[in-house]
Every structure is written in C-alpha cells, then in structure tokens.
Amino acid sequence: MMSRREQIREKIMERVVVDPVTDCWIWQGPTSGKSGRGKDYPRMSLSGQTVAVHLVMWTNEHGYIPGKKQIDHKCRNRLCVNPDPKHTEMVTHKQNQKRRDQARAAAAMIGHNGGPALECEEIR
C-alpha cells in the first residue's frame, strides 16, 4: 500500500511532462487562468480543495512552508512543479519580488524596445 505522500506524488506526476532540456516538470492539467496576479499557476483538486500544484509538490517533498515564506520558481516557469532546489526555492516575499524584477529587467534587455533580439552576423 502506498503512503499518502507517494499517492500525492503519483497523482501529480500523471499530469507532468519532463522537459529534457530544462528539466522543468511541466504541468499539463488545469491552471489558475490566463489573467490576474496569479495567472498560469498549476491547480489541482486534493481532498476536495483546489490547491496550487507547485506548493503541494514542495510540501510533499520538503515539508511545511511557514506563513512568511513563498516558493519561488528559480527556473522562471510557472508551470514547473519540480521540487528540486534548481527549480523552486523557499524565500521571503521580498526575495521573490527582487528575483521577479531582475528577471523582468533581463528579459527587457533582450530585444530592447520590443524589437527582435540582437544577433551577431558573421562576416564572410
């Protein structure tokens, strides 16, 4: 007989595709929708409650998340539910916002002003 922890992991992994390049565990099930602050986060039903899959996976693998902490997607992919510290990490709200802002700034530098990313052309 499987433990509750094993049952939860199996239920999640039934809807996950592993990206061989990034090692992100991409959720293929329902999400929180396409708009709003929490858009595109994975959602599932667990014991009659709708829950955030990345939080369930983190708790299942690492334990309790204190009230003043958040789980940050270091890989910057909201659909990733990989609990590996290379992908998700428990941080403060301030750390999470700082990382988000840094990622946005870095993305804005690629193809500045909305244009295509710059590419070097090799001289022949």
Side-chain angles (χ1 to χ4, degrees):
M1 186 169 157
M2 282 196 294
S3 70
R4 175 83 168 132
R5 190 171 295 228
E6 292 169 330
Q7 290 172 357
I8 290 171
R9 188 174 219 279
E10 184 175 282
K11 182 175 181 172
I12 292 171
M13 294 308 290
E14 286 174 354
R15 290 189 160 183
V16 165
V17 172
V18 178
D19 184 316
V21 175
T22 64
D23 201 33
C24 283
W25 296 3
I26 309 298
W27 179 251
Q28 302 295 300
T31 68
S32 55
K34 295 289 180 195
S35 63
R37 187 174 62 93
K39 71 177 183 168
D40 294 331
Y41 279 102
R43 295 288 187 261
M44 67 183 273
S45 178
L46 187 63
S47 301
Q49 297 289 320
T50 299
V51 294
V53 182
H54 68 292
L55 301 181
V56 171
M57 184 58 104
W58 174 273
T59 303
N60 202 49
E61 301 297 316
H62 301 290
Y64 177 73
I65 303 169
K68 297 219 175 215
K69 297 288 186 170
Q70 298 177 346
I71 302 304
D72 179 31
H73 283 92
K74 290 173 71 176
C75 61
R76 311 314 313 160
N77 184 345
R78 287 184 175 191
L79 292 177
C80 180
V81 298
N82 187 340
D84 185 282
K86 293 176 186 168
H87 290 266
T88 51
E89 180 180 22
M90 188 173 6
V91 297
T92 65
H93 177 68
K94 186 175 182 176
Q95 287 172 307
N96 200 356
Q97 286 187 316
K98 184 177 180 180
R99 288 179 178 177
R100 178 204 61 207
D101 293 344
Q102 288 172 338
R104 284 181 180 169
M109 294 303 293
I110 297 171
H112 64 290
N113 295 329
L118 299 176
E119 295 181 19
C120 291
E121 292 184 19
E122 195 171 310
I123 300 174
R124 295 179 192 195

